[in-house]
Amino acid sequence: MALPRTLSVIGAGQMGVGIALVASLRAQIPKVLLYDRDPAQITKGLAFMDKLLQKDVSKGKISEEQAKAAKERIISVSHSSATGESGWARELGERGTDMVVEAASERLSIKENIFQALTQNLSKDAVLASNTSSISITKLAGAAVDGLGASVSRASEEGKACAGRVVGVHFFNPVPVMKLCEVIPGLQTSDATLERARAFAVACGKEVTTSKDVPGFVSNALLMPFLNEAIMCLESGTATRDDIDKTLRLGMGHPMGPLQLADFIGLDTCLAIQETLYDGTRDSKYRPSVLLGRMVDAGWLGKKSGKGFYDY
Ligand SMILES: NC(=O)c1ccc[n+]([C@@H]2O[C@H](COP(=O)([O-])OP(=O)(O)OC[C@H]3O[C@@H](n4cnc5c(N)ncnc54)[C@H](O)[C@@H]3O)[C@@H](O)[C@H]2O)c1
């Protein structure tokens, strides 16, 4: 199965940077374009990548040359280098993008706008993948068709072909370390797109599982209620932060406690996933804890902002 020659990663947060790195270092995609609407995120992301590559070199996992080649394959694209509202998408198209992995913030409206801009600017055969943790791939595929304009219906042949190239590729955090990629077909995803997504994940060094397009997919439909229960335990004073995390670490053998894990994922991302689970199922068991909402209101987003349940 052919791998992309030019991969574009949208969003240079903790996931986008990790995906760009494994695509370059492991899958050896010749060109990996990294775009974020916030140029500071790209600068921060590239510096973090350097640190990870140097760590691999010092441990003898890769050579200096491999690290240098991996770095050279990654090209940053920022708002300042692209003009107009969709200038970034035009630039990704002009540079020959044949696969995208969208890893922007977990908000439906953000992702819908991105997918619309992608169909307006990229070649018709480019695979459009999302790293979303919970948002419906079927919905994103619908948004991609809307990008073609009001005259193209979602059920027309053109609409079906466009939606058929949208797929979920859900990597885990930290991407260079975690061995799994969950692949999610939407209702419209073609078999060829699914195979290209799987081949890409395998080339990035991952084992692949497949989940149906349900809110949270398999992974977060199981993980998020667990994290939410831990936050509710803290909220109700059942135990302290340290005792909740210690219980799971030492009693159940988890590598980190649920509150620490929520901090690592990002509390805004956890809240967004829980809201998708709750809205998508209307099942009260998925209601996000009030404390989680308040922490996000306070801007305490976990490790990435320097404060969450722990200080960083
Ligand atoms: N954090 C995790 O553990 C984890 C795991 C698997 C999947 N995900 C998913 O990956 C995606 C990214 O998560 P993250 O943890 O990297 O978030 P993050 O907050 O670290 O990064 C998100 C990035 O998206 C950028 N962004 C926002 N809107 C944009 C736009 N319109 N165009 C371009 N860039 C935009 C932001 O500037 C930011 O750099 C989300 O969909 C999330 O659910 C996260």
Side-chain angles (χ1 to χ4, degrees), residues 10-16 35-38 41 103-106 110-111 114 131-133 170-173 265 268-269 304:
I10 298 173
Q14 40 190 358
M15 295 305 291
Y35 163 71
D36 197 291
R37 68 174 175 190
D38 177 359
Q41 285 290 93
S105 311
E106 186 74 351
I110 290 181
K111 292 187 189 291
I114 288 174
N131 184 53
T132 177
S133 305
H170 183 208
F171 288 88
F172 291 79
N173 188 15
I265 292 169
D268 53 340
T269 302
K304 67 184 168 189

Coordinates of all heavy atoms in Angstrom, one line a residue, residues 10-16 35-38 41 103-106 110-111 114 131-133 170-173 265 268-269 304, ligand 1:
I10 N -2.0 19.0 10.9 CA -2.6 20.3 11.2 C -2.8 20.4 12.7 O -3.5 19.5 13.3 CB -4.0 20.5 10.5 CG1 -3.7 20.5 9.0 CG2 -4.7 21.7 10.9 CD1 -4.9 20.4 8.2
G11 N -2.1 21.4 13.4 CA -2.1 21.5 14.8 C -0.8 21.0 15.3 O -0.4 19.8 15.1
A12 N 0.0 21.9 15.9 CA 1.3 21.6 16.4 C 1.3 21.5 18.0 O 2.2 22.0 18.6 CB 2.4 22.5 15.9
G13 N 0.2 20.9 18.5 CA 0.2 20.7 20.0 C 0.9 19.4 20.3 O 1.7 18.9 19.5
Q14 N 0.6 18.9 21.5 CA 1.3 17.7 21.9 C 1.1 16.5 20.9 O 2.1 15.8 20.6 CB 1.0 17.3 23.3 CG -0.4 17.4 23.7 CD -0.7 17.2 25.2 OE1 0.3 17.0 25.9 NE2 -1.9 17.3 25.6
M15 N -0.1 16.4 20.3 CA -0.3 15.3 19.4 C 0.3 15.5 18.0 O 0.9 14.6 17.5 CB -1.8 15.0 19.3 CG -2.4 14.5 20.6 SD -1.6 13.1 21.4 CE -2.0 11.8 20.2
G16 N 0.0 16.7 17.5 CA 0.5 17.0 16.1 C 2.0 16.9 16.0 O 2.5 16.3 15.0
Y35 N 1.5 22.5 10.3 CA 0.8 23.8 10.3 C 0.1 24.0 11.6 O -0.5 23.0 12.2 CB -0.2 23.9 9.2 CG -1.2 25.0 9.4 CD1 -0.8 26.3 9.3 CD2 -2.5 24.8 9.7 CE1 -1.7 27.4 9.5 CE2 -3.4 25.8 10.0 CZ -3.0 27.1 9.9 OH -3.9 28.1 10.1
D36 N 0.1 25.2 12.2 CA -0.7 25.5 13.3 C -1.1 27.0 13.1 O -0.3 27.8 12.6 CB 0.1 25.4 14.6 CG -0.8 25.4 15.9 OD1 -1.4 26.4 16.2 OD2 -0.9 24.3 16.5
R37 N -2.3 27.3 13.6 CA -2.7 28.7 13.4 C -1.9 29.6 14.4 O -1.9 30.9 14.2 CB -4.2 28.9 13.7 CG -4.6 28.6 15.1 CD -6.1 28.9 15.3 NE -6.5 28.6 16.7 CZ -7.7 28.5 17.1 NH1 -8.7 28.8 16.3 NH2 -8.0 28.2 18.3
D38 N -1.3 29.0 15.4 CA -0.5 29.8 16.3 C 1.0 29.5 16.1 O 1.5 28.4 16.4 CB -0.9 29.4 17.7 CG 0.0 30.1 18.8 OD1 0.9 30.9 18.4 OD2 -0.3 29.9 20.0
Q41 N 3.3 27.9 18.6 CA 3.1 26.4 18.9 C 4.1 25.7 18.0 O 4.6 24.6 18.4 CB 1.7 26.0 18.6 CG 0.7 26.4 19.7 CD 0.9 25.6 21.0 OE1 1.6 26.0 21.9 NE2 0.4 24.4 21.1
A103 N -4.9 17.4 13.7 CA -4.7 17.2 15.2 C -4.9 18.6 15.9 O -4.1 18.9 16.7 CB -3.4 16.6 15.5
A104 N -5.9 19.3 15.4 CA -6.2 20.6 16.1 C -7.1 20.3 17.3 O -7.5 19.2 17.6 CB -6.9 21.5 15.1
S105 N -7.4 21.4 18.1 CA -8.1 21.3 19.3 C -9.4 20.5 19.1 O -10.0 20.5 18.1 CB -8.4 22.7 19.9 OG -7.2 23.4 19.9
E106 N -9.8 19.8 20.2 CA -11.0 18.9 20.1 C -12.3 19.7 20.2 O -13.0 19.7 21.1 CB -10.9 17.9 21.3 CG -11.9 16.8 21.3 CD -11.7 15.7 20.2 OE1 -10.9 15.9 19.4 OE2 -12.4 14.7 20.3
I110 N -14.1 23.8 15.0 CA -12.8 24.0 14.5 C -12.5 23.0 13.4 O -12.0 23.2 12.3 CB -11.7 23.9 15.6 CG1 -11.9 25.1 16.5 CG2 -10.3 23.7 15.1 CD1 -10.9 25.1 17.7
K111 N -12.8 21.7 13.7 CA -12.5 20.6 12.8 C -13.3 20.7 11.5 O -12.8 20.5 10.4 CB -12.7 19.3 13.5 CG -11.6 19.1 14.6 CD -11.7 17.7 15.2 CE -10.8 17.5 16.4 NZ -9.4 17.6 16.3
I114 N -11.8 23.2 9.3 CA -10.6 22.7 8.7 C -10.9 21.8 7.5 O -10.3 21.9 6.4 CB -9.7 22.0 9.7 CG1 -9.1 23.1 10.7 CG2 -8.6 21.2 9.1 CD1 -8.4 22.5 11.9
N131 N -7.2 13.0 13.9 CA -6.7 12.4 15.1 C -7.7 12.6 16.3 O -7.3 12.5 17.5 CB -5.3 12.9 15.5 CG -4.7 12.3 16.7 OD1 -4.6 11.1 16.7 ND2 -4.3 13.1 17.7
T132 N -8.9 13.0 16.0 CA -9.9 13.3 17.1 C -10.0 12.2 18.0 O -9.9 11.0 17.7 CB -11.3 13.6 16.5 OG1 -12.2 13.9 17.6 CG2 -11.8 12.5 15.6
S133 N -10.3 12.5 19.3 CA -10.4 11.5 20.4 C -11.9 11.0 20.5 O -12.1 10.0 21.1 CB -10.1 12.1 21.7 OG -8.8 12.7 21.7
H170 N -6.4 7.6 15.3 CA -6.3 8.1 16.6 C -5.1 7.5 17.3 O -5.0 6.4 17.7 CB -7.6 7.6 17.4 CG -7.7 8.1 18.8 ND1 -8.3 7.4 19.8 CD2 -7.2 9.2 19.4 CE1 -8.3 8.1 20.9 NE2 -7.5 9.1 20.7
F171 N -4.0 8.4 17.3 CA -2.8 8.1 18.0 C -2.9 8.4 19.5 O -3.8 9.1 19.9 CB -1.6 8.9 17.4 CG -1.2 8.5 16.0 CD1 -1.8 9.1 14.9 CD2 -0.2 7.6 15.8 CE1 -1.4 8.7 13.6 CE2 0.2 7.3 14.6 CZ -0.4 7.8 13.5
F172 N -2.0 7.9 20.3 CA -2.1 8.0 21.7 C -0.9 8.8 22.2 O 0.2 8.9 21.5 CB -2.2 6.7 22.4 CG -3.5 6.1 22.1 CD1 -3.8 5.4 20.9 CD2 -4.6 6.2 23.0 CE1 -5.0 4.9 20.6 CE2 -5.9 5.7 22.7 CZ -6.1 5.0 21.5
N173 N -1.0 9.4 23.4 CA -0.1 10.4 23.9 C 0.9 9.7 25.0 O 0.3 9.1 25.9 CB -0.9 11.5 24.6 CG -0.1 12.7 25.0 OD1 1.0 12.8 24.7 ND2 -0.7 13.5 25.8
I265 N -3.2 14.3 29.5 CA -4.0 14.4 28.2 C -4.4 15.8 28.0 O -4.4 16.3 26.8 CB -5.3 13.5 28.4 CG1 -5.0 12.1 28.5 CG2 -6.3 13.8 27.3 CD1 -6.2 11.2 28.9
D268 N -8.8 20.4 29.2 CA -9.7 20.9 28.1 C -10.1 19.8 27.2 O -11.3 19.6 26.8 CB -9.1 22.1 27.4 CG -7.7 21.8 26.8 OD1 -7.0 20.9 27.3 OD2 -7.3 22.5 25.9
T269 N -9.1 18.9 26.8 CA -9.4 17.8 25.9 C -10.3 16.8 26.6 O -11.2 16.3 26.0 CB -8.0 17.2 25.4 OG1 -7.3 18.2 24.8 CG2 -8.3 16.1 24.5
K304 N 0.3 20.8 30.0 CA 0.6 21.8 28.9 C 0.5 23.3 29.4 O 1.1 24.1 28.8 CB -0.3 21.5 27.7 CG -1.7 21.8 27.8 CD -2.5 21.4 26.5 CE -4.0 21.3 26.7 NZ -4.7 20.8 25.6
Ligands
LIG1 N1 -3.9 14.9 24.4 C1 -4.1 13.6 24.2 O1 -3.8 12.8 25.1 C2 -4.8 13.1 22.9 C3 -4.7 11.8 22.6 C4 -5.3 11.4 21.4 C5 -5.9 12.3 20.6 N2 -5.9 13.6 20.9 C6 -6.6 14.5 20.0 O2 -5.7 15.2 19.2 C7 -6.1 16.5 18.9 C8 -5.1 17.5 19.5 O3 -4.9 17.3 20.8 P1 -3.6 17.9 21.6 O4 -3.6 17.2 22.9 O5 -2.5 17.9 20.7 O6 -4.1 19.4 21.9 P2 -3.2 20.7 22.1 O7 -4.1 21.7 22.9 O8 -1.9 20.3 22.7 O9 -3.0 21.3 20.6 C9 -4.0 21.7 19.8 C10 -3.3 22.6 18.7 O10 -4.3 22.9 17.7 C11 -4.0 24.2 17.3 N3 -5.2 24.7 16.6 C12 -6.4 25.1 17.2 N4 -7.3 25.5 16.2 C13 -6.6 25.4 15.0 C14 -6.9 25.7 13.7 N5 -8.1 26.1 13.3 N6 -6.0 25.5 12.7 C15 -4.7 25.0 13.1 N7 -4.4 24.7 14.3 C16 -5.3 24.9 15.3 C17 -3.7 25.0 18.6 O11 -3.0 26.2 18.3 C18 -2.8 23.9 19.3 O12 -1.5 24.1 19.0 C19 -7.5 16.7 19.6 O13 -8.5 16.3 18.6 C20 -7.4 15.6 20.7 O14 -8.7 15.2 21.1 C21 -5.4 14.1 22.1

